[in-house]
Amino acid sequence: MPEGDTIWLTARRLHTALAGKPLTRSDLRVPRFATADLTGRTLLDVTPRGKHLLTRIEGGLTLHSHLRMDGAWQLYAPGERWRGGPSHQIRAVLATADHTAVGYRLPVLELIRTCDEPSVVGHLGPDLLGPDWDFEEAVRRVRSDPDRPLGEALLDQRNLAGIGNVFKCELAFLARVTPWLPVGELSPGVPERLVATAHRLLEANKERFDRRTVAGDRPDRKLYVYGRRNQPCYRCGTPIRWNDQHERVSYWCPGCQSGPGPGEPPVPPGVRGLTGPRP
C-alpha cells in the first residue's frame, strides 16, 4: 500500500501537470458517477491528506481517491501510450490540453462537494506531511491506548496520518522494540522520539519514490528490515524474521528488538523496551 510520502509525491506530480487548467476530458468509470461530466471545469489543485488524494475542481467539487494496495495514478503526454494496465482496470481519466491523468485499480473513487471533504478525511489524525502537523497531538493519540501493540498504533490513521507497513516496521526497528510491544511498555520519551522520527523519515522521502531509511547512499542498503526476510541484520547479523500482523506483514530483528513476538504475551513491566541509541 502506498504510504504518505508516495501519496504526497503523487499529488505534487498531478498538481504540477493539471492544476489551473480546464479539463478537456473527464471519464469516471464507476457506476455511481459514470454520468458526471467535468469537461470545461478548471482543475484547481490536488491535495494529499494522509493516504488520501483530494482533487479539487471548479464549481465546489472534489474527486476523492484512495490507492489502497495497488491503485495508481499515471500521467501521460498527448499521444503517449497508456501503460498502467489493461483498459478494464481504468477507473478515471482527467485530461487537459497538455497531460492526461489515468487512475488505475482505484478502490475508492467518489465525487463529493468540496465542503463535504471532512466526511472522508475528517477522522484522520495529524498529517505527517500536512500543514496541520501537530507533534503533541500525534504523541497524545499514539499513547492514548497503552495496551495496544505498537505496530497497530502506528498504522492507525486516526493517530497520525501517513504511516504504512514499511514505516511501521522500520520505526519499530529504530526504536529497538518489536511491533507487538504494547505502547504502555515503551520507555519514557520513546513515543515522542518515534513520532519525531516518523515525521523526519517521511519528510526525507517525500520527493522520491525510491524510499530509504538507512543512512548513506549504498544502493544495496535502503531499508533495515522491511522485505529482508532471513537476510542478516545490518547491525547484529541476526536473520530478519517475518510474520503476519492483522493481515500486514511484519519484519523485525530478534537480536536488536526487544519485546514479545507474534502471539506471545507482553514483556513484564520491568522490561521497558529501549535501551539502545535514540532513533
Side-chain angles (χ1 to χ4, degrees):
M1 180 181 293
E3 309 200 16
D5 54 343
T6 300
I7 299 303
W8 187 94
L9 183 53
T10 298
R12 190 182 73 168
R13 294 178 68 239
L14 291 172
H15 180 89
T16 300
L18 305 175
K21 302 170 184 174
L23 293 171
T24 58
R25 178 184 177 186
S26 78
D27 184 2
L28 306 182
R29 301 182 186 179
V30 293
R32 184 179 175 187
F33 303 107
T35 60
D37 186 4
L38 304 174
T39 304
R41 298 176 186 249
T42 298
L43 193 149
L44 303 176
D45 67 75
V46 183
T47 296
R49 182 73 173 87
K51 299 180 184 181
H52 299 252
L53 283 168
L54 302 171
T55 302
R56 297 178 179 128
I57 299 164
E58 180 185 13
L61 297 175
T62 295
L63 187 65
H64 167 233
S65 60
H66 194 297
L67 307 186
R68 291 196 179 159
M69 293 301 294
D70 60 355
W73 279 99
Q74 303 286 350
L75 276 171
Y76 301 102
E80 184 178 359
R81 184 172 65 88
W82 299 356
R83 304 177 302 279
S87 59
H88 71 266
Q89 293 183 348
I90 296 173
R91 297 291 176 267
V93 179
L94 298 175
T96 66
D98 304 312
H99 294 91
T100 299
V102 183
Y104 290 91
R105 302 172 297 278
L106 300 176
V108 176
L109 184 71
E110 55 184 338
L111 189 64
I112 63 175
R113 295 184 303 172
T114 300
C115 63
D116 291 334
E117 287 180 2
S119 69
V120 294
V121 295
H123 65 288
L124 298 176
D127 188 341
L128 285 153
L129 296 177
D132 68 332
W133 171 240
D134 187 331
F135 171 79
E136 298 293 340
E137 176 62 14
V139 172
R140 186 193 69 78
R141 294 191 183 206
V142 169
R143 297 178 63 180
S144 64
D145 187 352
D147 295 329
R148 196 174 194 187
L150 175 63
E152 291 183 23
L154 291 174
L155 286 176
D156 191 338
Q157 302 300 294
R158 295 169 298 181
N159 289 338
L160 60 170
I163 290 180
N165 208 37
V166 177
F167 282 117
K168 176 206 78 177
C169 295
E170 296 295 292
L171 287 165
F173 175 83
L174 290 167
R176 298 203 173 200
V177 297
T178 67
W180 298 276
L181 184 75
V183 170
E185 292 298 318
L186 292 169
S187 297
V190 175
E192 290 83 356
R193 295 203 295 273
L194 273 168
V195 170
T197 301
H199 184 234
R200 175 176 60 81
L201 288 177
L202 265 74
E203 281 284 349
N205 283 281
K206 71 180 184 180
E207 297 193 16
R208 61 192 180 201
F209 287 115
D210 189 20
R211 183 178 294 123
R212 171 181 291 276
T213 60
V214 179
D217 56 5
R218 285 185 56 168
D220 60 331
R221 292 193 176 189
K222 296 179 181 179
L223 301 174
Y224 284 105
V225 291
Y226 187 85
R228 300 192 61 244
R229 181 181 181 181
N230 294 328
Q231 297 180 44
C233 173
Y234 297 141
R235 283 178 172 168
C236 71
T238 302
I240 301 299
R241 295 185 64 184
W242 169 95
N243 202 285
D244 287 339
Q245 185 180 28
H246 294 279
E247 300 181 354
R248 300 286 185 89
V249 179
S250 287
Y251 297 87
W252 80 102
C253 171
C256 290
Q257 294 172 254
S258 64
E264 296 177 3
V267 294
V271 182
R272 303 291 294 187
L274 267 189
T275 56
R278 295 162 65 101

